[in-house]
Amino acid sequence: IKDNTKVKTTLDSVVKHEDVRLEVYPDPLHGWKVPTIGLGFNLARKDADKKLKELGLNPVLIRKGKSKLTKEQAFKLATDDIYNALQGAKRVVKNFNEHPLDVRSAITEIVFNIGVTGFSKFENFINFIHKKDYKRASKELMNSSWSKQVGRRAINISDKISSAK
């Protein structure tokens, strides 16, 4: 139940940063090499077909643009991914539960956006988070190439972290 609050808080933030797109579209960074749907759901990932089928969807028709998601399906895909991102964040940030909700949500959103492997490369950021030095962690985040790619999202996430007590 406690994780539900974190997932909901993160989902609210993701919705602010991603358009809910019910039809297939090219990933903003990788184009059609990474077809995407919903709230940034990557259709090229290994488990995409399985996840779509669990929702009663035909993956082939989705990819061809001949079928689309409902808003509920888009939110279900995102919620599942946010929950998985939360678990990944907890593995990387050893003292994860000691941080304020805003910081945990911000970290979870970063993992949701770039994956646990990408996030674990943010070593300086993670070290400052471990030390609860949120100002320096925030600066570190803004110095990343990721922040330049995602623009406003990075600024919002960084602000959330830097204003934490």
Side-chain angles (χ1 to χ4, degrees):
I1 295 285
K2 276 195 286 189
D3 280 352
N4 288 347
T5 303
K6 289 178 217 155
V7 169
K8 173 78 173 94
T9 302
T10 305
L11 180 62
D12 292 345
S13 184
V14 167
V15 168
K16 220 170 36 179
H17 297 124
E18 303 248 2
D19 292 331
V20 182
R21 297 175 69 180
L22 305 178
E23 294 183 42
V24 66
Y25 64 94
D27 176 83
L29 200 56
H30 303 102
W32 283 110
K33 281 187 263 173
V34 182
T36 309
I37 199 162
L39 286 153
F41 183 81
N42 175 347
L43 290 168
R45 60 192 246 189
K46 287 184 179 110
D47 66 345
D49 285 4
K50 179 178 173 273
K51 295 230 173 236
L52 292 171
K53 286 176 184 173
E54 286 171 1
L55 294 174
L57 296 163
N58 180 324
V60 174
L61 295 179
I62 290 286
R63 276 191 194 80
K64 287 183 175 176
K66 295 184 187 303
S67 183
K68 58 186 188 174
L69 301 178
T70 64
K71 213 168 187 179
E72 293 75 25
Q73 290 167 327
F75 276 79
K76 172 75 171 116
L77 289 170
T79 301
D80 289 352
D81 282 351
I82 290 167
Y83 181 78
N84 290 332
L86 174 62
Q87 301 315 309
K90 288 178 179 180
R91 286 193 307 275
V92 175
V93 178
K94 302 300 178 213
N95 60 348
F96 186 83
N97 287 324
E98 296 172 20
H99 300 283
L101 178 61
D102 272 355
V103 172
R104 294 185 314 237
S105 173
I107 292 167
T108 302
E109 184 170 356
I110 297 167
V111 176
F112 170 82
N113 188 241
I114 61 173
V116 75
T117 305
F119 176 71
S120 55
K121 293 176 185 162
F122 286 31
E123 293 175 23
N124 292 335
F125 170 79
I126 294 165
N127 286 333
F128 288 129
I129 290 291
H130 281 139
K131 295 174 187 169
K132 299 182 182 175
D133 186 342
Y134 302 126
K135 299 268 185 258
R136 288 179 68 193
S138 173
K139 279 189 184 132
E140 196 61 41
L141 193 61
M142 289 310 296
N143 286 331
S144 70
S145 57
W146 171 79
S147 76
K148 289 158 191 62
Q149 292 168 353
V150 299
R152 170 94 4 235
R153 175 183 238 158
I155 294 165
N156 292 343
I157 290 173
S158 176
D159 288 350
K160 241 195 249 189
I161 292 168
S162 69
S163 62
K165 303 283 181 250

